[in-house]
């Protein structure tokens, strides 16, 4: 009896989490435009979706931004984590605190502060401002992920490398980097999804010249429900499933 | 030797410059703007004023803050109440089942929250699934107006943020040593006592971490109240957004966001104090 209640409760939470998504997926194949009742299987909304050039462009832009910003954030963030761990320099603590506080500060504050900064230096909002902003909000996640891994190391290994005559760069390239690789990849993946999903920061730092997918969806949803969004959401959900699976495999690799 | 010098300096300077230029200076600008006057043509006039902060305490605006904090608190409480038993149950499962259950929590957590909000609209709107179902079964005769109410905003916030509560709770419950519970029972504790005196204190770090992970975004997610609550439910997030993009009152919006940051910082400080006391009590 007690177990039944437990299972029921767990099931109920999962129902709450998944019912909306499953309904969305089902309706993306529904012939009916108004989403009332099932009127037969159809791929019409997918066809509509792929013939909508504006959505495709926005998706492409999102992908470009996500790839560029996650790569840049991973490189900078990894270097930063290594620097924070290995070197003692003035302002180290202040910088590290700032990295942490960025992760905690609300997205909206980051969005408006960056908007104000770009206006202040006279940079027009668009691709570049979006890229810089995305790198900035992904950066802390990479730093923290990589730092957590690196701080678990035996410092004797890097000392040994130094004793054997390796330069700092060689130590980084041949000793540190291979050891922190799983964390670097995890940081990259996290940045990639964060960038792809971000609504709030992007909302402020991009203009009509460069539209990305979340903002396109936002404006479409505000104007009313359209069945093409069901199809689009289904595709993005599948994409999420694939990414989560890959990340789980990466974590498994790390534990081994 | 030269190369080593370069690598070290390059990495330190890149990160320092990035943080100073794209984090520190922008935030400084917000702070500065919040003390300046609004200008119709140039956005900001360089005349120092405290007007923006004083306006925040006008009843109309202050109400928005009170309402937002209430929303965030209620959302956090709802998430905690819903997530705790859930996390507890799955943390007691066999390792393989546990992993699978957790994976199914992570998937919505990684799914775009905008899409999940949209999915809710499909369900909640007046001719949506919930209403169709309730009318079909004869429970109601007229569609319930759920969309564009506070209730819809709560559903949206809890739905979006629930995984953020489950994960830290799960992490702390998984580490919970069963022997402590058994020992308490052996010593004659009741189930309630075991829960309030053993399980809750030990999982406190998870509870607090989860509450913060829900509370912070609940205050800033402007698009959920926007899409589900309609024009009526203006929260801090929407308010700041509107000041910047609609009203064009940047100094006032800046003051509001400085206020928001201060509010959150206060919560964080309280959190770290609580954690310190908690850790100290463990050391005793």
């Amino acid at each position: 009896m007690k177990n039944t209640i437990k299972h029921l409760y767990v099931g109920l939470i999962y129902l709450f989490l998944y019912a909306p998504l499953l309904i969305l997926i089902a309706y993306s194949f529904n012939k009916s435009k108004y989403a009332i009742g099932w009127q037969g299987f159809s791929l019409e909304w997918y066809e509509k979706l792929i013939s909508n050039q504006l959505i495709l462009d926005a998706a492409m832009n999102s992908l470009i931004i996500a790839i560029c910003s996650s790569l840049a954030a991973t490189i900078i963030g990894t270097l930063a984590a290594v620097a924070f761990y290995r070197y003692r320099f003035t302002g180290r603590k202040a910088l590290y605190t700032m990295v942490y506080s960025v992760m905690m500060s609300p997205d909206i504050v980051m969005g408006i502060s960056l908007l104000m900064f770009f206006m202040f230096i006279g940079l027009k909002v668009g691709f570049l401002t979006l890229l810089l902003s995305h790198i900035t909000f992904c950066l802390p996640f990479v730093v923290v992920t990589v730092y957590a891994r690196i701080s678990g190391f035996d410092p004797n290994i890097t000392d040994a490398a130094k004793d054997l005559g390796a330069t700092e760069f060689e130590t980084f390239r041949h000793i540190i980097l291979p050891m922190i690789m799983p964390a670097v990849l995890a940081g990259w993946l996290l940045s990639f999804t964060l960038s792809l999903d971000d609504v709030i920061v992007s909302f402020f730092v991009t203009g009509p010249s460069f539209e990305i997918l979340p903002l396109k969806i936002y404006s479409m949803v505000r104007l009313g429900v359209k069945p093409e969004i069901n199809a689009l959401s289904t595709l993005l959900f599948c994409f999420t499933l694939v990414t989560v699976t890959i990340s789980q495999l990466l974590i498994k690799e790390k534990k081994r | 030797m030269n190369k080593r010098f370069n690598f070290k300096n390059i990495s330190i300077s890149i990160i320092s410059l990035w943080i100073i230029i794209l984090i520190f200076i922008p935030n400084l600008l917000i702070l500065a703007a919040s003390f300046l006057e609004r200008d119709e043509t140039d956005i900001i006039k360089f005349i120092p004023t405290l007007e923006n902060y004083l306006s925040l305490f006008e009843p109309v605006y202050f109400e928005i803050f009170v309402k937002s904090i209430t929303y965030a608190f209620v959302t956090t409480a709802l998430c905690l109440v819903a997530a705790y038993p859930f996390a507890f149950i799955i943390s007691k499962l066999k390792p393989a089942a546990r992993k699978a259950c957790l994976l199914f929590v992570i998937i919505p957590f990684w799914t775009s929250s905008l899409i999940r909000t949209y999915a809710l609209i499909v369900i909640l709107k007046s001719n949506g699934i919930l209403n169709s179902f309730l009318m079909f079964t004869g429970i109601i005769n007229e569609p319930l107006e759920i969309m564009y109410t506070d209730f819809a905003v709560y559903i949206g916030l809890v739905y979006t943020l629930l995984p953020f509560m489950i994960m830290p709770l799960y992490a702390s419950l998984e580490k919970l040593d069963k022997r402590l519970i058994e020992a308490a029972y052996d010593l004659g504790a009741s189930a309630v006592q075991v829960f309030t005196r053993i399980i809750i204190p030990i999982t406190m770090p998870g509870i607090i971490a989860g509450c913060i992970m829900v509370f912070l975004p609940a205050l800033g997610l402007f698009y959920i109240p926007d899409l589900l609550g309609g024009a009526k439910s203006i929260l801090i997030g929407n308010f700041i957004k509107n000041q910047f993009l609609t009203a064009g009152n940047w100094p006032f919006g800046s003051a509001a966001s400085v206020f928001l940051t201060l509010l959150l910082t206060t919560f964080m400080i309280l959190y770290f104090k609580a954690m310190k006391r908690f850790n100290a009590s463990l050391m005793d």
Side-chain angles (χ1 to χ4, degrees), chain A residues 6 10 59 73 116 128 146 162 222:
Chain A
K6 276 183 186 172
V10 170
M116 205 174 252
L128 187 62
V146 174
K162 207 188 246 170
R222 286 192 83 177

Side-chain angles (χ1 to χ4, degrees), chain A residues 104-112 198-204 218, chain B residues 64-65 67-69 71-73 75-76 113 153 157 160-161 212-226 233-242 256-257 260-261 263-264:
Chain A
M104 290 297 186
S105 82
D107 291 355
I108 190 163
V109 175
M110 178 179 260
I112 56 169
D198 175 72
V199 183
I200 299 182
V201 176
S202 308
F203 194 87
F204 292 100
Y218 184 52
Chain B
I64 295 175
F65 282 97
K67 199 174 164 194
S68 306
I69 294 168
Y71 262 79
F73 262 118
T75 303
T76 309
S113 55
V153 179
L157 287 172
T160 311
L161 299 172
I212 285 183
M213 283 179 77
V214 172
F215 190 81
L216 296 186
L219 273 178
L221 277 173
F222 65 76
Y223 55 89
I224 291 181
D226 232 26
S233 43
I234 297 268
L235 300 183
I236 306 182
N238 313 57
F239 176 73
I240 296 174
K241 187 200 88 181
N242 291 343
S257 79
L260 176 65
T261 310
L263 200 74
L264 295 177

Side-chain angles (χ1 to χ4, degrees), chain B residues 175-205:
Chain B
K175 281 187 233 139
L176 183 68
D177 192 340
K178 250 191 185 156
R179 288 172 302 180
L180 290 172
I181 298 172
E182 282 162 17
Y185 276 124
D186 286 347
L187 294 168
S190 68
V192 176
Q193 281 174 324
V194 168
F195 186 65
T196 55
R197 300 214 190 149
I198 311 282
I199 300 177
I200 289 194
I202 291 179
T203 54
M204 204 39 116

Side-chain angles (χ1 to χ4, degrees), chain A residues 68-111:
Chain A
C68 297
S69 62
S70 60
L71 281 178
T74 308
I75 294 170
I76 300 171
T78 305
L79 285 178
V82 172
F84 281 136
Y85 178 68
R86 285 182 59 74
Y87 312 124
R88 297 290 172 267
F89 51 93
T90 354
R92 172 179 169 274
K93 251 199 164 149
L95 286 177
Y96 197 64
T97 311
M98 231 178 268
V99 168
Y100 250 108
S101 63
V102 172
M103 220 162 51
M104 290 297 186
S105 82
D107 291 355
I108 190 163
V109 175
M110 178 179 260

